């Protein structure tokens, strides 16, 4: 594995990790903030009876009105502004006309491109009252992301991040999905390195100032295995147990990390927001 100063015209190269300077951090700050603001605004629309296509439309219009483009439109044939992953859907759920129902938990994953920089974030939303076990799953997912972020500093490795998340999930007898990983990003939507949400302390890639990537653990109440539905996108748990995910885009600094996708309204963690 090698590190290079992030080039202006980037192309993903296996094993080559771009290191970003102040320009990249400034770009990510703007894109991350707009993405977080959009996810905040969507909170009010996550209600029983609302079709996920409506939420997709709100995000599309927000992007359009704010000089941003959703990265997922036309991405590998995907046609929507965001992903909506309900209950046992692990990730990449496609917005459609089916109404949300009381008790559903839904992950909304949005990536807005601003001035060429990608702000990628997802959170959990609850539809009305949800079960205690769904609440616990969401709490553990957020605790996992936080534990991962706490490892994100120079001197640590990608394995330290994964191991921290895995310890939180498995400590609560939940499981970490193996089939999807966090990823470098910047001018590219998906770049090096891969960030696994499980692993061994000290293994993987050493973290260096200038690295920009997502951490986006998917945690299941049951077993970790997933399958992809015939639409080619929707990933579900094989055992149909509930799944939850949350995602931040971060950049490694000299002393720790900067989170680009913090919620301006403090709505990132729905359980903390509810308790407040
Ligand atoms: N935003 C997702 C991620 O966290 C990628 C979604 S790709 C899509 O990397 F095409 F399914 F939308
Ligand atoms: Co995402
Ligand atoms: Co991502």
């Amino acid at each position: 594995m090698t590190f290079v100063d992030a080039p202006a015209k980037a192309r993903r190269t296996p094993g080559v990790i771009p290191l970003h300077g102040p320009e990249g951090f400034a770009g990510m700050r703007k894109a991350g903030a707009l993405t977080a603001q959009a996810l905040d605004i969507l909170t009010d629309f996550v209600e029983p009876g609302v079709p996920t296509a409506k939420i997709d439309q709100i995000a599309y219009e927000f992007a359009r009105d704010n000089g941003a483009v959703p990265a997922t439109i036309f991405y590998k044939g995907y046609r929507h502004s965001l992903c909506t992953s309900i209950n046992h859907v692990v990730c990449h759920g496609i917005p459609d006309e089916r109404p949300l129902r009381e008790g559903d938990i839904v992950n909304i994953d949005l990536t807005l491109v601003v001035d060429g920089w990608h702000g990628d974030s997802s959170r959990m939303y609850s539809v009305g009252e949800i079960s205690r076990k769904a609440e616990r799953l969401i709490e553990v997912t957020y605790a996992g992301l936080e534990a991962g972020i706490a490892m994100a500093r120079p001197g640590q490795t990608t394995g330290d991040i994964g191991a921290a998340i895995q310890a939180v999930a498995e400590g609560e007898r939940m499981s970490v999905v193996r089939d999807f990983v966090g990823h470098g990003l910047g001018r590219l939507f998906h770049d090096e390195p891969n960030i696994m949400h499980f692993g061994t302390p000290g293994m993987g890639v050493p973290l260096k100032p200038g690295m920009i990537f997502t951490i986006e653990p998917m945690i299941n109440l049951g077993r970790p295995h997933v399958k992809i539905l015939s639409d080619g996108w929707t990933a579900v748990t094989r055992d149909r147990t509930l799944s939850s995910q949350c995602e931040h885009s971060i950049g490694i600094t000299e002393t720790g990390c900067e989170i680009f996708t913090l919620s301006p309204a403090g709505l990132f963690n729905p359980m903390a927001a509810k308790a407040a």
Side-chain angles (χ1 to χ4, degrees):
M1 156 253 326
T2 54
F3 299 92
V4 295
D5 290 335
K9 255 216 172 351
R11 200 166 189 292
R12 183 171 188 160
T13 313
V16 178
I17 298 170
L19 299 178
H20 297 267
E23 187 205 358
F25 276 65
M28 288 302 294
R29 223 165 267 144
K30 231 175 128 182
L34 196 71
T35 301
Q37 193 194 340
L39 290 175
D40 281 356
I41 286 167
L42 296 180
T43 307
D44 285 340
F45 294 90
V46 180
E47 288 285 336
V50 176
T52 47
K54 172 76 185 169
I55 295 167
D56 184 68
Q57 183 202 337
I58 305 284
Y60 178 82
E61 289 168 1
F62 177 88
R64 185 197 60 200
D65 296 345
N66 288 279
V69 179
T72 52
I73 296 188
F74 305 129
Y75 177 78
K76 296 184 178 173
Y78 197 80
R79 309 180 143 275
H80 304 271
S81 295
L82 43 69
C83 299
T84 48
S85 302
I86 302 169
N87 296 336
H88 70 294
V89 178
V90 172
C91 64
H92 302 166
I94 304 172
D96 63 20
E97 292 304 328
R98 283 175 293 182
L100 291 168
R101 298 191 312 189
E102 175 89 20
D104 283 344
I105 59 170
V106 53
N107 173 278
I108 301 180
D109 189 341
L110 174 67
T111 306
L112 293 182
V113 188
V114 180
D115 302 333
W117 296 94
H118 292 70
D120 186 4
S121 183
S122 84
R123 342 173 161 158
M124 295 306 293
Y125 298 77
S126 44
V127 183
E129 286 298 311
I130 62 172
S131 68
R132 182 62 198 132
K133 68 175 187 197
E135 254 173 29
R136 262 196 67 233
L137 172 65
I138 295 173
E139 278 164 10
V140 170
T141 308
Y142 279 73
L145 176 59
E146 263 177 39
I149 290 174
M151 291 293 162
R153 62 176 183 273
Q156 306 293 107
T157 68
T158 55
D160 292 320
I161 294 174
I165 296 167
Q166 183 177 11
V168 169
E170 293 180 358
E172 298 294 329
R173 303 192 175 290
M174 298 178 191
S175 66
V176 176
V177 170
R178 308 297 204 255
D179 303 68
F180 300 96
V181 297
H183 50 91
L185 81 172
R187 287 194 177 93
L188 294 178
F189 189 5
H190 293 109
D191 202 343
E192 299 285 314
N194 285 337
I195 304 293
M196 284 176 290
H197 305 112
F198 57 95
T200 309
M203 300 295 278
V205 174
L207 301 178
K208 294 195 186 300
M211 285 172 68
I212 292 178
F213 54 82
T214 72
I215 307 179
E216 48 181 299
M218 285 140 273
I219 308 297
N220 298 347
L221 270 184
R223 294 176 51 78
H225 309 104
V226 309
K227 68 176 180 189
I228 309 293
L229 300 187
S230 58
D231 60 26
W233 284 105
T234 311
V236 300
T237 55
R238 277 191 177 271
D239 62 10
R240 295 189 65 89
T241 56
L242 288 178
S243 185
S244 156
Q245 180 180 22
C246 53
E247 173 177 27
H248 270 316
S249 296
I250 72 171
I252 302 295
T253 63
E254 295 295 332
T255 54
C257 72
E258 176 173 350
I259 304 173
F260 298 121
T261 43
L262 289 174
S263 162
L267 298 173
F268 184 69
N269 180 341
M271 297 307 137
K274 209 186 252 183

